[in-house]
Amino acid sequence: MSLTDTAPRQEATNDAGAAAPQTAGPQTAARPETTDATGPLKDLLVLDLSRILSGPFATMTLADLGAEVIKIEQPGQGDDTRQWGPPFQGDEAAYFLAVNRNKRSLAVDLKSPEGLEVVRELARRADIVVENFRPGTAARLGLGYEELSKDNPGLVYASISGYGQTGPDALRPGYDAIAQARSGIMSVTGETDGPPVRVGVSSADLVAGMWATIGVLAALHEKQRTGQGQWVDISLLDGSVSWLTYVSSGYFASGEVPRRYGSAHPTIAPYQAFATADGFVMVAVGNDGLWRRFAQELGDAALAADPRYASNPSRVAHREELIPAIEAIMRTRTTEDWVRALDEAGVPVGPIQTVDQALVDPQVLARGMVAELDHPTAGPMKVVGCPVRLTRTPASVRTAPPVLGQDTDQVLASLGLDTDRIQALHSSGAVQ
């Protein structure tokens, strides 16, 4: 249940029943009241004990879908990614800004008994807890699933780690690049004659965050039937292995170890990037009918009539002869020319855009995938929007990522702490 359902954000009641005024702790920044969420999760409270990328990505998704997310951060430091720059916008690292919108920041020292009790009280009220400590760390702090679920049996508790809560490597630290390497993803990424390549974004972290979100939603659904929460165990390695899909299926079927194909597809041809006169395009010829249209647009009658290329299995078998012939033709026209011509012919094609080009793509903008926010210290900023489209309860990008401790006093007041108690917590260093 959201804290806003139990106590107003602007005003809380102290033990004597009087309204408790809020105090401004160190480094808190003025911020407009959170806009009411419209998403399907707007009645849920999420306690976010995570940092870096996988956990914050999951909790940001829950926040975009309406949940109230309270991010726990270490006083004086905060989430590690607050220092991961350049680039910075104002004093804020762009990395941190990427995955922490729609959240409130409570800066509290988990090594302080007083601070730890504040977090435990939040956990008693929370619907969801998300953490990505190394296995065992949360339990040692008294914030593990077994500890918190005793006071809150309906708690849905998600743990994201490098290797999961079980298995011989459970206690090893988790890193995105290592998960990509061990999962097999890197072995099939890169040019055919080049070394294995890490995916250009932190795919292991992001897929783990996505699976955590899916797991949380599944556990919430089951809770509707039983009233009981459960522990959602997600690992970076598991998530990346799950992405092998048809690559692993092909290995199981054939026994052949998959290899790298660059931008090409192992079982479809031509299905890859081609250099043009001034850039690159991606062409996806997924069936024989599309091949005939593509071959006609290439303008090479001999290529179109060659029986070696009449079917997809044959084209795959003869890709070493086919692809160089196509490459030579593709270089004779510009990217814009090819995109226009192949679009008109009904052949799937798209320009390979740089990030700056992708973020002003008319389709991307029309879908609301770039949103603007006003940050309390960094000023106007842009973020990538939420891709989930719901017709009745839409996701929303409401508030900028918080500065460290921005909402500490507000959250403490919502727990019923009076002014003197809040100030004492500041004075002791338990909160910021």
Side-chain angles (χ1 to χ4, degrees), residues 67-208:
E68 180 180 359
V69 176
I70 298 177
K71 183 178 179 69
I72 303 301
E73 300 190 75
Q74 179 68 24
Q77 176 180 345
D79 190 311
D80 291 351
T81 60
R82 287 187 181 274
Q83 289 79 45
W84 283 13
F88 292 91
Q89 183 164 346
D91 295 329
E92 305 296 329
Y95 198 119
F96 177 84
L97 296 177
V99 288
N100 286 290
R101 63 168 177 259
N102 288 343
K103 303 178 186 181
R104 297 199 283 165
S105 172
L106 170 60
V108 56
D109 185 359
L110 295 179
K111 296 180 180 179
S112 159
E114 298 90 346
L116 185 60
E117 182 52 37
V118 167
V119 176
R120 288 184 63 88
E121 177 58 29
L122 283 169
R124 293 184 189 103
R125 305 186 183 204
D127 300 283
I128 302 161
V129 169
V130 178
E131 60 92 4
N132 60 353
F133 296 113
R134 193 183 303 191
T137 300
R140 286 194 295 272
L141 291 169
L143 297 173
Y145 174 70
E146 297 297 337
E147 294 79 13
L148 298 185
S149 62
K150 290 177 182 177
D151 293 331
N152 186 355
L155 182 66
V156 172
Y157 186 106
S159 294
I160 305 173
S161 60
Y163 301 97
Q165 303 297 311
T166 60
D169 289 335
L171 297 182
R172 291 173 66 92
Y175 294 94
D176 171 88
I178 307 304
Q180 288 194 38
R182 287 190 64 172
S183 69
I185 292 291
M186 282 181 62
S187 76
V188 294
T189 304
E191 293 301 324
T192 301
D193 56 354
V197 175
R198 185 182 75 87
V199 176
V201 296
S202 297
S203 64
D205 278 329
L206 296 172
V207 70

Side-chain angles (χ1 to χ4, degrees), residues 13 61 93 139 151 211 222 234 242 264 294 302 318 362 379 391 395 403 418:
T13 302
T61 302
D151 293 331
W211 280 122
E222 196 274 341
I234 302 294
S242 77
F294 182 54
H318 295 93
T391 57
V403 298
D418 63 21

Side-chain angles (χ1 to χ4, degrees), residues 168-320:
D169 289 335
L171 297 182
R172 291 173 66 92
Y175 294 94
D176 171 88
I178 307 304
Q180 288 194 38
R182 287 190 64 172
S183 69
I185 292 291
M186 282 181 62
S187 76
V188 294
T189 304
E191 293 301 324
T192 301
D193 56 354
V197 175
R198 185 182 75 87
V199 176
V201 296
S202 297
S203 64
D205 278 329
L206 296 172
V207 70
M210 294 174 69
W211 280 122
T213 303
I214 293 168
V216 163
L217 296 178
L220 287 171
H221 181 74
E222 196 274 341
K223 178 182 172 181
Q224 290 181 328
R225 294 196 301 269
T226 66
Q228 296 295 305
Q230 58 184 301
W231 195 356
V232 180
D233 174 10
I234 302 294
S235 95
L236 273 65
L237 181 59
D238 293 350
S240 292
V241 169
S242 77
W243 268 17
L244 291 176
T245 57
Y246 61 84
V247 173
S248 58
S249 181
Y251 167 70
F252 290 143
S254 69
E256 296 182 9
V257 178
R259 61 186 181 87
R260 292 181 292 284
Y261 285 88
S263 65
H265 196 286
T267 61
I268 310 173
Y271 197 107
Q272 66 182 75
F274 291 100
T276 67
D278 62 352
F280 295 88
V281 295
M282 186 72 190
V283 176
V285 178
N287 58 52
D288 296 338
L290 289 175
W291 162 249
R292 290 188 287 273
R293 296 181 194 177
F294 182 54
Q296 181 176 356
E297 194 59 40
L298 290 174
D300 187 325
L303 196 66
D306 195 319
R308 293 177 300 170
Y309 310 138
S311 69
N312 181 70
S314 184
R315 290 192 297 276
V316 170
H318 295 93
R319 73 164 77 228
E320 299 302 325

